[in-house]
């Protein structure tokens, strides 16, 4: 994991989409970068609209920021300096002392809604990819055929996943392993691991992740 030393300009462009973890708030919040002064502070859009967030926007509360830039994932911890209410709701964050860079393979999953076809046990199942990373995804599928219902979760089942990239409409097809499932009333959510990605498919997935990180 590489680190950027205090005082250097952050590798980030104005308007970049951000994912925030604010101390005391569960889950990730979406925001974007408005501006910064190196070594002093960062200005971001206040993620107003989430339940209970206003009570956590106090001076000194810890904020973890993650973002994608030019195919690289970055993250840093900082603290809230103040909340600006006019002319727009903005957060002023302290300038980070270090910036962590990580391989996209290790980043968290991105929420999405991508129609897909999962070919497994000789059957084509139409469903929706609900979240995705370069390691795998989770697919929401209608009630599974009994054979697949019995197999997935007990054994790791190989198959193929097909979907259209939301970034450029290219068709993506790759080998996958269905590793677990969660059953609901009339649907199942299947955890999928991507298997033996070639360089072309991996490049396509990087574009998908970058697109989702900006929207």
């Amino acid at each position: 994991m590489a680190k950027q030393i205090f005082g250097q300009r952050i590798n980030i462009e104005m308007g970049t989409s951000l994912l925030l973890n604010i101390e005391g708030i569960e889950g990730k919040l979406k925001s974007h970068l408005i501006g910064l002064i190196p070594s002093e502070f960062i200005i971001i859009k206040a993620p107003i609209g989430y339940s209970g967030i206003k009570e956590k926007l106090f001076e000194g509360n810890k904020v973890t920021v993650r973002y994608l830039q030019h195919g690289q994932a970055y993250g840093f911890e900082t603290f809230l300096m103040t909340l600006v209410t006019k002319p727009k709701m903005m957060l002023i964050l302290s300038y980070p002392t270090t910036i962590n860079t990580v391989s996209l393979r290790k980043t968290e999953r991105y929420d999405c809604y991508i129609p897909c076809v999962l070919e497994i046990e000789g059957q084509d199942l139409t469903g929706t990819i609900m979240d995705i990373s370069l390691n795998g995804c989770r697919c929401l599928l209608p009630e599974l055929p009994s054979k697949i219902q019995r197999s997935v979760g007990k054994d790791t089942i190989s198959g193929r996943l097909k979907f259209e990239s939301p970034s450029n409409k290219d068709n993506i097809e790759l080998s996958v392993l269905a590793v677990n499932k969660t059953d609901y009333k009339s649907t199942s959510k299947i955890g999928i691991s991507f298997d033996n990605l070639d360089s072309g498919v991996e490049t396509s997935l990087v574009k998908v992740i970058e697109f989702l990180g900006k929207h």
Side-chain angles (χ1 to χ4, degrees), residues 38-192:
S39 302
E40 294 189 29
F41 56 80
I42 297 169
I43 307 171
I44 69 171
K45 180 182 178 181
I48 301 300
Y50 296 89
S51 176
I53 190 173
K54 287 187 178 180
E55 291 77 10
K56 300 301 178 181
L57 299 182
F58 56 84
E59 181 180 349
N61 200 15
K62 186 170 75 171
V63 181
T64 301
V65 179
R66 296 182 178 87
Y67 62 96
L68 298 176
Q69 195 75 59
H70 305 304
Q72 182 68 56
Y74 295 87
F76 59 84
E77 289 187 352
T78 181
F79 295 91
L80 178 61
M81 297 176 68
T82 189
L83 169 66
V84 177
T85 58
K86 294 182 179 180
K88 295 288 185 178
M89 297 285 282
M90 297 177 287
L91 302 183
I92 310 297
L93 306 178
S94 60
Y95 200 83
T97 56
T98 59
I99 308 295
N100 298 321
T101 61
V102 296
S103 165
L104 275 176
R105 286 186 175 277
K106 298 179 181 178
T107 58
E108 66 276 357
R109 295 174 183 265
Y110 283 81
D111 292 335
C112 58
Y113 189 88
I114 304 174
C116 68
V117 174
L118 177 63
E119 181 185 317
I120 186 172
E121 297 284 357
Q123 298 190 55
D124 288 346
L125 306 178
T126 300
T128 304
I129 300 173
M130 305 302 295
D131 58 51
I132 191 169
S133 73
L134 283 184
N135 285 325
C137 66
R138 278 191 282 263
C139 289
L140 187 66
L141 299 166
E143 190 170 1
L144 298 174
S146 57
K147 180 181 178 181
I148 298 175
Q149 183 72 256
R150 291 192 299 269
S151 300
V152 177
K154 294 182 179 179
D155 301 298
T156 298
I157 309 299
S158 61
R160 304 285 295 177
L161 182 67
K162 307 171 187 177
F163 63 94
E164 184 180 89
S165 169
S167 63
N168 55 18
K169 305 304 179 183
D170 284 352
N171 292 319
I172 298 176
E173 181 174 346
L174 63 161
S175 298
V176 299
L177 300 172
V179 295
N180 57 60
K181 68 177 175 67
T182 303
D183 293 321
Y184 299 94
K185 191 171 183 179
S186 58
T187 61
S188 293
K189 187 177 288 186
I190 295 185
I192 289 174

Side-chain angles (χ1 to χ4, degrees), residues 3-74:
K3 291 189 176 181
Q4 182 172 335
I5 305 303
F6 176 85
Q8 293 184 350
R9 186 178 178 87
I10 298 173
N11 181 22
I12 190 171
E13 298 172 356
M14 298 304 107
T16 294
S17 297
L18 310 173
L19 284 178
L20 312 177
N21 285 100
I22 297 177
E23 189 80 11
I25 297 290
E26 292 187 10
K28 301 176 181 64
L29 312 179
K30 292 184 178 181
S31 180
H32 65 260
L33 180 71
I34 295 175
L36 60 83
I37 295 182
S39 302
E40 294 189 29
F41 56 80
I42 297 169
I43 307 171
I44 69 171
K45 180 182 178 181
I48 301 300
Y50 296 89
S51 176
I53 190 173
K54 287 187 178 180
E55 291 77 10
K56 300 301 178 181
L57 299 182
F58 56 84
E59 181 180 349
N61 200 15
K62 186 170 75 171
V63 181
T64 301
V65 179
R66 296 182 178 87
Y67 62 96
L68 298 176
Q69 195 75 59
H70 305 304
Q72 182 68 56
Y74 295 87

